[in-house]
Amino acid sequence: MTAVACNPRVEVDPRGPRFGAAITTVVLAASLLLVGTTAGIVLVAWQALAFGLGAFVGLHAQPYGLVFRSVVQPRLAPARDLEDAAAPRFAQGVGFAFAAVALAGLLLGLTTVAIVALALALAAAFLNAAFGFCLGCEMYLLGRRLLPGGQRVAA
Amino acid sequence: MTTGVLVLVAVLALATAFGLWRRRSDGRIREQAQASRRAAGVEESAEPADIHLATMAEHGGEVLTEAALGARLGERATLVQFSTAFCQPCRATRRILDEVSTMVEGTVHVEIDAEAHLDLVRRLGVRRTPTVLFLDADGVIVKRASGLPRKADVIAALGEVIA
């Protein structure tokens, strides 16, 4: 019976990350339509910054989370259940990686790279917003399984 | 711009299809024979069976020993939950399994940190968390579910395992 190792428990209203995912979906969809324009680059840079703040500083610093807490949450009933912040924060990190690749692609003129990265990030954000499904979290165990480590049985 | 529109429509359509399928299949409790056949495609090349880890019982079901679990088996049944730190539905799953195992005498709920037991995870073909295994009194894996299971389904499945 092993307790799951968790970072210091920070808890969030699960509707916050979901609201953020909806805004992220709109921003990423717009940046896909604006690929090749300066506005597209600005949007992707903004989204990368938003993801980066959520992942590296914390969900409390995520701009869409700030909007949720100041504007949306006061109008909602109190959350029935809180959730651990570890999963949504991890998802922000995955989002940051894709947004960073997309931004680099746009800046270096590698349009296809940028479009693929944006498409994957959009799919993840949309699944989270529409279905509450965390793609990055699901990928986590698959990734860990592929890496060595924790292996007890010799090949 | 046109490429952007096409990609946007394709991504939203595919993601919607995937999300609907996932919502339908999530948490559904399946018979282990069926589940292990599916996992076999990935797991066939896996390391030879380690008898301390898991062995094949005579009737073909895979067995989890107390040594492999690192916990005592329940007298009548054991609910084994694989979890990770980055797992939204793991907490709700834990609550349901705790409630059911408290309610049904002779059953215990064992939670395993998937990251700390990657050998077991690979061997059993666990690809997502939460994954829940239903073991009978001998530790034979009878049923499994991935994703958050419904409480009524857990109770019904447990009834079949014990019967």
Side-chain angles (χ1 to χ4, degrees), chain A residues 6-59:
Chain A
C6 273
N7 309 327
R9 286 199 178 264
V10 181
E11 302 203 313
V12 290
D13 181 342
R15 296 170 298 184
R18 192 113 177 228
F19 171 81
I23 298 186
T24 304
T25 302
V26 174
V27 172
L28 290 173
S31 18
L32 256 180
L33 297 180
L34 293 171
V35 164
T37 67
T38 312
I41 296 178
V42 171
L43 268 185
V44 175
W46 159 254
Q47 186 55 51
L49 175 70
F51 277 141
L53 286 169
F56 304 119
V57 182
L59 292 180

mmCIF file of all heavy atoms in Angstrom, chain A residues 6-59:
data_model
loop_
_atom_site.group_PDB
_atom_site.id
_atom_site.type_symbol
_atom_site.label_atom_id
_atom_site.label_comp_id
_atom_site.label_asym_id
_atom_site.label_seq_id
_atom_site.Cartn_x
_atom_site.Cartn_y
_atom_site.Cartn_z
ATOM 1 N N CYS A 6 2.935 13.001 -3.851
ATOM 2 C CA CYS A 6 2.394 14.242 -4.381
ATOM 3 C C CYS A 6 3.242 15.393 -3.867
ATOM 4 O O CYS A 6 3.770 15.339 -2.775
ATOM 5 C CB CYS A 6 0.956 14.451 -3.942
ATOM 6 S SG CYS A 6 -0.214 13.682 -5.036
ATOM 7 N N ASN A 7 3.348 16.405 -4.690
ATOM 8 C CA ASN A 7 4.023 17.614 -4.249
ATOM 9 C C ASN A 7 3.152 18.229 -3.176
ATOM 10 O O ASN A 7 2.018 17.831 -2.997
ATOM 11 C CB ASN A 7 4.176 18.558 -5.428
ATOM 12 C CG ASN A 7 4.798 17.841 -6.605
ATOM 13 O OD1 ASN A 7 5.609 16.947 -6.415
ATOM 14 N ND2 ASN A 7 4.388 18.187 -7.809
ATOM 15 N N PRO A 8 3.686 19.221 -2.455
ATOM 16 C CA PRO A 8 2.876 19.872 -1.428
ATOM 17 C C PRO A 8 1.467 20.078 -1.968
ATOM 18 O O PRO A 8 1.286 20.637 -3.046
ATOM 19 C CB PRO A 8 3.580 21.206 -1.225
ATOM 20 C CG PRO A 8 4.948 21.036 -1.765
ATOM 21 C CD PRO A 8 4.999 19.789 -2.567
ATOM 22 N N ARG A 9 0.479 19.622 -1.237
ATOM 23 C CA ARG A 9 -0.874 19.614 -1.785
ATOM 24 C C ARG A 9 -1.449 21.011 -1.918
ATOM 25 O O ARG A 9 -1.767 21.646 -0.926
ATOM 26 C CB ARG A 9 -1.766 18.755 -0.919
ATOM 27 C CG ARG A 9 -1.496 17.301 -1.116
ATOM 28 C CD ARG A 9 -2.655 16.474 -0.644
ATOM 29 N NE ARG A 9 -2.351 15.074 -0.893
ATOM 30 C CZ ARG A 9 -2.768 14.431 -1.952
ATOM 31 N NH1 ARG A 9 -3.505 15.051 -2.835
ATOM 32 N NH2 ARG A 9 -2.451 13.169 -2.120
ATOM 33 N N VAL A 10 -1.578 21.438 -3.157
ATOM 34 C CA VAL A 10 -2.293 22.660 -3.437
ATOM 35 C C VAL A 10 -3.589 22.216 -4.086
ATOM 36 O O VAL A 10 -3.578 21.340 -4.938
ATOM 37 C CB VAL A 10 -1.498 23.559 -4.406
ATOM 38 C CG1 VAL A 10 -2.256 24.842 -4.674
ATOM 39 C CG2 VAL A 10 -0.117 23.844 -3.850
ATOM 40 N N GLU A 11 -4.696 22.778 -3.665
ATOM 41 C CA GLU A 11 -5.964 22.344 -4.224
ATOM 42 C C GLU A 11 -6.622 23.470 -4.983
ATOM 43 O O GLU A 11 -6.509 24.636 -4.619
ATOM 44 C CB GLU A 11 -6.874 21.847 -3.105
ATOM 45 C CG GLU A 11 -6.231 20.713 -2.336
ATOM 46 C CD GLU A 11 -7.242 19.856 -1.639
ATOM 47 O OE1 GLU A 11 -8.120 20.452 -1.000
ATOM 48 O OE2 GLU A 11 -7.155 18.625 -1.754
ATOM 49 N N VAL A 12 -7.273 23.094 -6.081
ATOM 50 C CA VAL A 12 -7.939 24.105 -6.898
ATOM 51 C C VAL A 12 -9.368 23.665 -7.196
ATOM 52 O O VAL A 12 -9.692 22.479 -7.168
ATOM 53 C CB VAL A 12 -7.201 24.335 -8.239
ATOM 54 C CG1 VAL A 12 -5.875 25.021 -7.993
ATOM 55 C CG2 VAL A 12 -6.998 23.029 -8.989
ATOM 56 N N ASP A 13 -10.198 24.651 -7.497
ATOM 57 C CA ASP A 13 -11.544 24.401 -8.006
ATOM 58 C C ASP A 13 -11.376 23.855 -9.425
ATOM 59 O O ASP A 13 -10.828 24.552 -10.283
ATOM 60 C CB ASP A 13 -12.309 25.740 -8.007
ATOM 61 C CG ASP A 13 -13.740 25.588 -8.494
ATOM 62 O OD1 ASP A 13 -14.056 24.575 -9.143
ATOM 63 O OD2 ASP A 13 -14.533 26.507 -8.230
ATOM 64 N N PRO A 14 -11.834 22.624 -9.702
ATOM 65 C CA PRO A 14 -11.582 22.020 -11.021
ATOM 66 C C PRO A 14 -12.208 22.815 -12.166
ATOM 67 O O PRO A 14 -11.803 22.671 -13.314
ATOM 68 C CB PRO A 14 -12.218 20.633 -10.915
ATOM 69 C CG PRO A 14 -13.053 20.648 -9.694
ATOM 70 C CD PRO A 14 -12.525 21.709 -8.798
ATOM 71 N N ARG A 15 -13.180 23.685 -11.840
ATOM 72 C CA ARG A 15 -13.792 24.469 -12.914
ATOM 73 C C ARG A 15 -12.836 25.537 -13.430
ATOM 74 O O ARG A 15 -13.003 26.033 -14.544
ATOM 75 C CB ARG A 15 -15.090 25.107 -12.411
ATOM 76 C CG ARG A 15 -16.135 24.060 -12.042
ATOM 77 C CD ARG A 15 -17.308 24.669 -11.315
ATOM 78 N NE ARG A 15 -16.901 25.283 -10.044
ATOM 79 C CZ ARG A 15 -17.758 25.816 -9.180
ATOM 80 N NH1 ARG A 15 -19.032 25.813 -9.440
ATOM 81 N NH2 ARG A 15 -17.324 26.349 -8.057
ATOM 82 N N GLY A 16 -11.814 25.898 -12.621
ATOM 83 C CA GLY A 16 -10.854 26.914 -13.037
ATOM 84 C C GLY A 16 -10.028 26.471 -14.240
ATOM 85 O O GLY A 16 -10.046 27.117 -15.290
ATOM 86 N N PRO A 17 -9.291 25.333 -14.119
ATOM 87 C CA PRO A 17 -8.531 24.835 -15.259
ATOM 88 C C PRO A 17 -9.406 24.573 -16.489
ATOM 89 O O PRO A 17 -8.993 24.787 -17.627
ATOM 90 C CB PRO A 17 -7.931 23.530 -14.737
ATOM 91 C CG PRO A 17 -7.832 23.719 -13.266
ATOM 92 C CD PRO A 17 -8.999 24.589 -12.891
ATOM 93 N N ARG A 18 -10.638 24.148 -16.246
ATOM 94 C CA ARG A 18 -11.542 23.862 -17.367
ATOM 95 C C ARG A 18 -11.911 25.164 -18.094
ATOM 96 O O ARG A 18 -11.953 25.209 -19.321
ATOM 97 C CB ARG A 18 -12.781 23.177 -16.788
ATOM 98 C CG ARG A 18 -13.673 22.571 -17.814
ATOM 99 C CD ARG A 18 -13.683 21.067 -17.717
ATOM 100 N NE ARG A 18 -14.613 20.559 -18.696
ATOM 101 C CZ ARG A 18 -15.546 19.653 -18.434
ATOM 102 N NH1 ARG A 18 -15.639 19.126 -17.239
ATOM 103 N NH2 ARG A 18 -16.343 19.238 -19.389
ATOM 104 N N PHE A 19 -12.168 26.205 -17.328
ATOM 105 C CA PHE A 19 -12.454 27.522 -17.905
ATOM 106 C C PHE A 19 -11.236 28.012 -18.685
ATOM 107 O O PHE A 19 -11.346 28.500 -19.811
ATOM 108 C CB PHE A 19 -12.807 28.507 -16.769
ATOM 109 C CG PHE A 19 -12.912 29.930 -17.198
ATOM 110 C CD1 PHE A 19 -14.068 30.405 -17.791
ATOM 111 C CD2 PHE A 19 -11.854 30.811 -16.988
ATOM 112 C CE1 PHE A 19 -14.167 31.732 -18.184
ATOM 113 C CE2 PHE A 19 -11.951 32.144 -17.389
ATOM 114 C CZ PHE A 19 -13.109 32.607 -17.985
ATOM 115 N N GLY A 20 -10.055 27.834 -18.084
ATOM 116 C CA GLY A 20 -8.817 28.238 -18.756
ATOM 117 C C GLY A 20 -8.630 27.487 -20.059
ATOM 118 O O GLY A 20 -8.199 28.057 -21.069
ATOM 119 N N ALA A 21 -8.995 26.194 -20.057
ATOM 120 C CA ALA A 21 -8.843 25.380 -21.274
ATOM 121 C C ALA A 21 -9.749 25.911 -22.377
ATOM 122 O O ALA A 21 -9.395 25.869 -23.558
ATOM 123 C CB ALA A 21 -9.152 23.913 -20.973
ATOM 124 N N ALA A 22 -10.930 26.409 -21.997
ATOM 125 C CA ALA A 22 -11.842 26.953 -23.009
ATOM 126 C C ALA A 22 -11.239 28.197 -23.658
ATOM 127 O O ALA A 22 -11.259 28.338 -24.885
ATOM 128 C CB ALA A 22 -13.189 27.282 -22.373
ATOM 129 N N ILE A 23 -10.671 29.089 -22.837
ATOM 130 C CA ILE A 23 -10.027 30.283 -23.401
ATOM 131 C C ILE A 23 -8.833 29.871 -24.265
ATOM 132 O O ILE A 23 -8.636 30.364 -25.375
ATOM 133 C CB ILE A 23 -9.562 31.243 -22.280
ATOM 134 C CG1 ILE A 23 -10.776 31.717 -21.481
ATOM 135 C CG2 ILE A 23 -8.811 32.431 -22.869
ATOM 136 C CD1 ILE A 23 -10.445 32.760 -20.452
ATOM 137 N N THR A 24 -8.052 28.910 -23.756
ATOM 138 C CA THR A 24 -6.892 28.423 -24.507
ATOM 139 C C THR A 24 -7.325 27.875 -25.866
ATOM 140 O O THR A 24 -6.655 28.098 -26.880
ATOM 141 C CB THR A 24 -6.175 27.325 -23.691
ATOM 142 O OG1 THR A 24 -5.829 27.863 -22.419
ATOM 143 C CG2 THR A 24 -4.924 26.857 -24.398
ATOM 144 N N THR A 25 -8.446 27.153 -25.887
ATOM 145 C CA THR A 25 -8.951 26.599 -27.145
ATOM 146 C C THR A 25 -9.205 27.719 -28.157
ATOM 147 O O THR A 25 -8.797 27.623 -29.318
ATOM 148 C CB THR A 25 -10.267 25.818 -26.896
ATOM 149 O OG1 THR A 25 -10.010 24.792 -25.946
ATOM 150 C CG2 THR A 25 -10.789 25.199 -28.182
ATOM 151 N N VAL A 26 -9.840 28.792 -27.697
ATOM 152 C CA VAL A 26 -10.149 29.909 -28.588
ATOM 153 C C VAL A 26 -8.862 30.573 -29.074
ATOM 154 O O VAL A 26 -8.688 30.848 -30.271
ATOM 155 C CB VAL A 26 -11.051 30.941 -27.859
ATOM 156 C CG1 VAL A 26 -11.260 32.175 -28.729
ATOM 157 C CG2 VAL A 26 -12.390 30.302 -27.511
ATOM 158 N N VAL A 27 -7.916 30.792 -28.150
ATOM 159 C CA VAL A 27 -6.659 31.446 -28.527
ATOM 160 C C VAL A 27 -5.889 30.594 -29.544
ATOM 161 O O VAL A 27 -5.386 31.103 -30.547
ATOM 162 C CB VAL A 27 -5.786 31.704 -27.270
ATOM 163 C CG1 VAL A 27 -4.400 32.188 -27.667
ATOM 164 C CG2 VAL A 27 -6.453 32.727 -26.364
ATOM 165 N N LEU A 28 -5.827 29.293 -29.301
ATOM 166 C CA LEU A 28 -5.073 28.421 -30.207
ATOM 167 C C LEU A 28 -5.772 28.294 -31.560
ATOM 168 O O LEU A 28 -5.114 28.249 -32.607
ATOM 169 C CB LEU A 28 -4.878 27.043 -29.574
ATOM 170 C CG LEU A 28 -3.905 27.009 -28.386
ATOM 171 C CD1 LEU A 28 -3.919 25.641 -27.718
ATOM 172 C CD2 LEU A 28 -2.488 27.354 -28.835
ATOM 173 N N ALA A 29 -7.092 28.243 -31.543
ATOM 174 C CA ALA A 29 -7.835 28.182 -32.809
ATOM 175 C C ALA A 29 -7.560 29.446 -33.618
ATOM 176 O O ALA A 29 -7.282 29.383 -34.822
ATOM 177 C CB ALA A 29 -9.328 28.028 -32.536
ATOM 178 N N ALA A 30 -7.598 30.613 -32.947
ATOM 179 C CA ALA A 30 -7.325 31.872 -33.637
ATOM 180 C C ALA A 30 -5.898 31.891 -34.170
ATOM 181 O O ALA A 30 -5.648 32.328 -35.297
ATOM 182 C CB ALA A 30 -7.566 33.041 -32.686
ATOM 183 N N SER A 31 -4.947 31.371 -33.381
ATOM 184 C CA SER A 31 -3.561 31.411 -33.874
ATOM 185 C C SER A 31 -3.370 30.485 -35.076
ATOM 186 O O SER A 31 -2.560 30.783 -35.953
ATOM 187 C CB SER A 31 -2.537 31.109 -32.781
ATOM 188 O OG SER A 31 -3.086 30.499 -31.687
ATOM 189 N N LEU A 32 -4.140 29.384 -35.134
ATOM 190 C CA LEU A 32 -4.053 28.529 -36.320
ATOM 191 C C LEU A 32 -4.536 29.291 -37.563
ATOM 192 O O LEU A 32 -3.948 29.180 -38.638
ATOM 193 C CB LEU A 32 -4.935 27.290 -36.128
ATOM 194 C CG LEU A 32 -4.245 25.973 -35.792
ATOM 195 C CD1 LEU A 32 -5.279 24.875 -35.652
ATOM 196 C CD2 LEU A 32 -3.222 25.598 -36.846
ATOM 197 N N LEU A 33 -5.608 30.046 -37.383
ATOM 198 C CA LEU A 33 -6.153 30.796 -38.522
ATOM 199 C C LEU A 33 -5.232 31.943 -38.915
ATOM 200 O O LEU A 33 -5.267 32.406 -40.047
ATOM 201 C CB LEU A 33 -7.540 31.350 -38.166
ATOM 202 C CG LEU A 33 -8.607 30.296 -37.870
ATOM 203 C CD1 LEU A 33 -9.935 30.956 -37.520
ATOM 204 C CD2 LEU A 33 -8.779 29.361 -39.062
ATOM 205 N N LEU A 34 -4.404 32.395 -37.961
ATOM 206 C CA LEU A 34 -3.557 33.568 -38.223
ATOM 207 C C LEU A 34 -2.098 33.183 -38.485
ATOM 208 O O LEU A 34 -1.224 34.045 -38.447
ATOM 209 C CB LEU A 34 -3.632 34.530 -37.032
ATOM 210 C CG LEU A 34 -5.001 35.193 -36.816
ATOM 211 C CD1 LEU A 34 -5.038 35.947 -35.492
ATOM 212 C CD2 LEU A 34 -5.316 36.132 -37.973
ATOM 213 N N VAL A 35 -1.839 31.901 -38.725
ATOM 214 C CA VAL A 35 -0.459 31.477 -39.029
ATOM 215 C C VAL A 35 0.043 32.263 -40.247
ATOM 216 O O VAL A 35 -0.676 32.409 -41.232
ATOM 217 C CB VAL A 35 -0.402 29.959 -39.322
ATOM 218 C CG1 VAL A 35 0.904 29.587 -40.016
ATOM 219 C CG2 VAL A 35 -0.533 29.176 -38.025
ATOM 220 N N GLY A 36 1.264 32.792 -40.125
ATOM 221 C CA GLY A 36 1.816 33.562 -41.233
ATOM 222 C C GLY A 36 1.659 35.059 -41.036
ATOM 223 O O GLY A 36 2.200 35.850 -41.797
ATOM 224 N N THR A 37 0.921 35.462 -40.001
ATOM 225 C CA THR A 37 0.774 36.895 -39.732
ATOM 226 C C THR A 37 1.467 37.250 -38.410
ATOM 227 O O THR A 37 1.739 36.376 -37.586
ATOM 228 C CB THR A 37 -0.715 37.285 -39.598
ATOM 229 O OG1 THR A 37 -1.232 36.674 -38.410
ATOM 230 C CG2 THR A 37 -1.521 36.797 -40.794
ATOM 231 N N THR A 38 1.734 38.534 -38.235
ATOM 232 C CA THR A 38 2.346 38.990 -36.981
ATOM 233 C C THR A 38 1.395 38.741 -35.814
ATOM 234 O O THR A 38 1.809 38.346 -34.717
ATOM 235 C CB THR A 38 2.677 40.492 -37.057
ATOM 236 O OG1 THR A 38 3.357 40.725 -38.291
ATOM 237 C CG2 THR A 38 3.562 40.915 -35.901
ATOM 238 N N ALA A 39 0.102 38.965 -36.057
ATOM 239 C CA ALA A 39 -0.885 38.743 -35.000
ATOM 240 C C ALA A 39 -0.833 37.292 -34.519
ATOM 241 O O ALA A 39 -0.960 37.019 -33.320
ATOM 242 C CB ALA A 39 -2.285 39.076 -35.523
ATOM 243 N N GLY A 40 -0.613 36.368 -35.468
ATOM 244 C CA GLY A 40 -0.507 34.951 -35.098
ATOM 245 C C GLY A 40 0.663 34.717 -34.154
ATOM 246 O O GLY A 40 0.547 34.004 -33.156
ATOM 247 N N ILE A 41 1.797 35.326 -34.467
ATOM 248 C CA ILE A 41 2.982 35.166 -33.616
ATOM 249 C C ILE A 41 2.718 35.730 -32.223
ATOM 250 O O ILE A 41 3.055 35.121 -31.210
ATOM 251 C CB ILE A 41 4.208 35.860 -34.264
ATOM 252 C CG1 ILE A 41 4.558 35.166 -35.581
ATOM 253 C CG2 ILE A 41 5.402 35.844 -33.311
ATOM 254 C CD1 ILE A 41 5.718 35.784 -36.327
ATOM 255 N N VAL A 42 2.070 36.900 -32.180
ATOM 256 C CA VAL A 42 1.781 37.527 -30.884
ATOM 257 C C VAL A 42 0.866 36.625 -30.043
ATOM 258 O O VAL A 42 1.104 36.412 -28.856
ATOM 259 C CB VAL A 42 1.133 38.927 -31.089
ATOM 260 C CG1 VAL A 42 0.639 39.489 -29.763
ATOM 261 C CG2 VAL A 42 2.128 39.867 -31.752
ATOM 262 N N LEU A 43 -0.148 36.064 -30.690
ATOM 263 C CA LEU A 43 -1.086 35.189 -29.973
ATOM 264 C C LEU A 43 -0.382 33.958 -29.411
ATOM 265 O O LEU A 43 -0.596 33.574 -28.259
ATOM 266 C CB LEU A 43 -2.213 34.738 -30.905
ATOM 267 C CG LEU A 43 -3.480 35.580 -30.945
ATOM 268 C CD1 LEU A 43 -4.525 34.897 -31.823
ATOM 269 C CD2 LEU A 43 -4.034 35.785 -29.542
ATOM 270 N N VAL A 44 0.464 33.323 -30.229
ATOM 271 C CA VAL A 44 1.163 32.115 -29.767
ATOM 272 C C VAL A 44 2.129 32.469 -28.639
ATOM 273 O O VAL A 44 2.246 31.737 -27.642
ATOM 274 C CB VAL A 44 1.902 31.421 -30.933
ATOM 275 C CG1 VAL A 44 2.730 30.247 -30.430
ATOM 276 C CG2 VAL A 44 0.900 30.936 -31.978
ATOM 277 N N ALA A 45 2.802 33.627 -28.783
ATOM 278 C CA ALA A 45 3.726 34.053 -27.723
ATOM 279 C C ALA A 45 2.958 34.283 -26.420
ATOM 280 O O ALA A 45 3.402 33.883 -25.337
ATOM 281 C CB ALA A 45 4.456 35.328 -28.149
ATOM 282 N N TRP A 46 1.802 34.903 -26.530
ATOM 283 C CA TRP A 46 0.966 35.143 -25.347
ATOM 284 C C TRP A 46 0.550 33.817 -24.702
ATOM 285 O O TRP A 46 0.626 33.638 -23.482
ATOM 286 C CB TRP A 46 -0.272 35.956 -25.729
ATOM 287 C CG TRP A 46 -1.380 35.822 -24.731
ATOM 288 C CD1 TRP A 46 -2.527 35.107 -24.883
ATOM 289 C CD2 TRP A 46 -1.406 36.348 -23.410
ATOM 290 N NE1 TRP A 46 -3.278 35.157 -23.742
ATOM 291 C CE2 TRP A 46 -2.623 35.914 -22.811
ATOM 292 C CE3 TRP A 46 -0.531 37.142 -22.661
ATOM 293 C CZ2 TRP A 46 -2.971 36.249 -21.511
ATOM 294 C CZ3 TRP A 46 -0.892 37.473 -21.361
ATOM 295 C CH2 TRP A 46 -2.100 37.033 -20.796
ATOM 296 N N GLN A 47 0.117 32.862 -25.531
ATOM 297 C CA GLN A 47 -0.334 31.581 -24.988
ATOM 298 C C GLN A 47 0.831 30.841 -24.321
ATOM 299 O O GLN A 47 0.666 30.215 -23.266
ATOM 300 C CB GLN A 47 -0.959 30.729 -26.092
ATOM 301 C CG GLN A 47 -1.583 29.435 -25.594
ATOM 302 C CD GLN A 47 -2.618 29.669 -24.499
ATOM 303 O OE1 GLN A 47 -3.531 30.478 -24.643
ATOM 304 N NE2 GLN A 47 -2.463 28.981 -23.375
ATOM 305 N N ALA A 48 2.020 30.926 -24.948
ATOM 306 C CA ALA A 48 3.199 30.284 -24.354
ATOM 307 C C ALA A 48 3.491 30.913 -22.988
ATOM 308 O O ALA A 48 3.802 30.206 -22.014
ATOM 309 C CB ALA A 48 4.409 30.422 -25.283
ATOM 310 N N LEU A 49 3.360 32.226 -22.912
ATOM 311 C CA LEU A 49 3.592 32.922 -21.640
ATOM 312 C C LEU A 49 2.570 32.460 -20.590
ATOM 313 O O LEU A 49 2.923 32.176 -19.431
ATOM 314 C CB LEU A 49 3.497 34.443 -21.860
ATOM 315 C CG LEU A 49 3.609 35.305 -20.593
ATOM 316 C CD1 LEU A 49 5.030 35.250 -20.042
ATOM 317 C CD2 LEU A 49 3.209 36.757 -20.883
ATOM 318 N N ALA A 50 1.299 32.375 -21.003
ATOM 319 C CA ALA A 50 0.245 31.956 -20.070
ATOM 320 C C ALA A 50 0.524 30.542 -19.544
ATOM 321 O O ALA A 50 0.448 30.282 -18.334
ATOM 322 C CB ALA A 50 -1.118 32.006 -20.771
ATOM 323 N N PHE A 51 0.859 29.622 -20.449
ATOM 324 C CA PHE A 51 1.202 28.252 -20.050
ATOM 325 C C PHE A 51 2.410 28.258 -19.110
ATOM 326 O O PHE A 51 2.445 27.551 -18.105
ATOM 327 C CB PHE A 51 1.566 27.409 -21.276
ATOM 328 C CG PHE A 51 0.397 26.821 -22.025
ATOM 329 C CD1 PHE A 51 0.414 26.767 -23.421
ATOM 330 C CD2 PHE A 51 -0.685 26.270 -21.355
ATOM 331 C CE1 PHE A 51 -0.639 26.193 -24.129
ATOM 332 C CE2 PHE A 51 -1.746 25.700 -22.053
ATOM 333 C CZ PHE A 51 -1.709 25.661 -23.453
ATOM 334 N N GLY A 52 3.426 29.047 -19.492
ATOM 335 C CA GLY A 52 4.668 29.080 -18.713
ATOM 336 C C GLY A 52 4.416 29.555 -17.286
ATOM 337 O O GLY A 52 4.949 29.001 -16.325
ATOM 338 N N LEU A 53 3.593 30.589 -17.144
ATOM 339 C CA LEU A 53 3.272 31.090 -15.801
ATOM 340 C C LEU A 53 2.566 30.009 -14.994
ATOM 341 O O LEU A 53 2.876 29.775 -13.822
ATOM 342 C CB LEU A 53 2.388 32.339 -15.904
ATOM 343 C CG LEU A 53 3.086 33.619 -16.346
ATOM 344 C CD1 LEU A 53 2.061 34.712 -16.669
ATOM 345 C CD2 LEU A 53 4.050 34.098 -15.261
ATOM 346 N N GLY A 54 1.603 29.306 -15.639
ATOM 347 C CA GLY A 54 0.862 28.257 -14.933
ATOM 348 C C GLY A 54 1.759 27.111 -14.522
ATOM 349 O O GLY A 54 1.614 26.544 -13.428
ATOM 350 N N ALA A 55 2.712 26.764 -15.380
ATOM 351 C CA ALA A 55 3.548 25.592 -15.110
ATOM 352 C C ALA A 55 4.689 25.916 -14.154
ATOM 353 O O ALA A 55 4.956 25.162 -13.221
ATOM 354 C CB ALA A 55 4.116 25.045 -16.424
ATOM 355 N N PHE A 56 5.365 27.043 -14.365
ATOM 356 C CA PHE A 56 6.609 27.300 -13.634
ATOM 357 C C PHE A 56 6.412 28.180 -12.401
ATOM 358 O O PHE A 56 7.183 28.109 -11.448
ATOM 359 C CB PHE A 56 7.665 27.889 -14.570
ATOM 360 C CG PHE A 56 7.929 27.024 -15.762
ATOM 361 C CD1 PHE A 56 7.705 27.484 -17.055
ATOM 362 C CD2 PHE A 56 8.345 25.702 -15.585
ATOM 363 C CE1 PHE A 56 7.919 26.664 -18.156
ATOM 364 C CE2 PHE A 56 8.559 24.873 -16.677
ATOM 365 C CZ PHE A 56 8.338 25.350 -17.972
ATOM 366 N N VAL A 57 5.405 29.050 -12.428
ATOM 367 C CA VAL A 57 5.139 29.872 -11.250
ATOM 368 C C VAL A 57 4.041 29.222 -10.407
ATOM 369 O O VAL A 57 4.147 29.107 -9.199
ATOM 370 C CB VAL A 57 4.737 31.308 -11.657
ATOM 371 C CG1 VAL A 57 4.517 32.156 -10.412
ATOM 372 C CG2 VAL A 57 5.805 31.928 -12.552
ATOM 373 N N GLY A 58 2.996 28.757 -11.051
ATOM 374 C CA GLY A 58 1.893 28.116 -10.333
ATOM 375 C C GLY A 58 0.568 28.534 -10.922
ATOM 376 O O GLY A 58 0.474 29.556 -11.611
ATOM 377 N N LEU A 59 -0.456 27.710 -10.626
ATOM 378 C CA LEU A 59 -1.768 27.983 -11.216
ATOM 379 C C LEU A 59 -2.316 29.334 -10.755
ATOM 380 O O LEU A 59 -3.103 29.964 -11.451
ATOM 381 C CB LEU A 59 -2.748 26.869 -10.853
ATOM 382 C CG LEU A 59 -2.457 25.505 -11.481
ATOM 383 C CD1 LEU A 59 -3.507 24.500 -11.043
ATOM 384 C CD2 LEU A 59 -2.423 25.594 -13.001
#
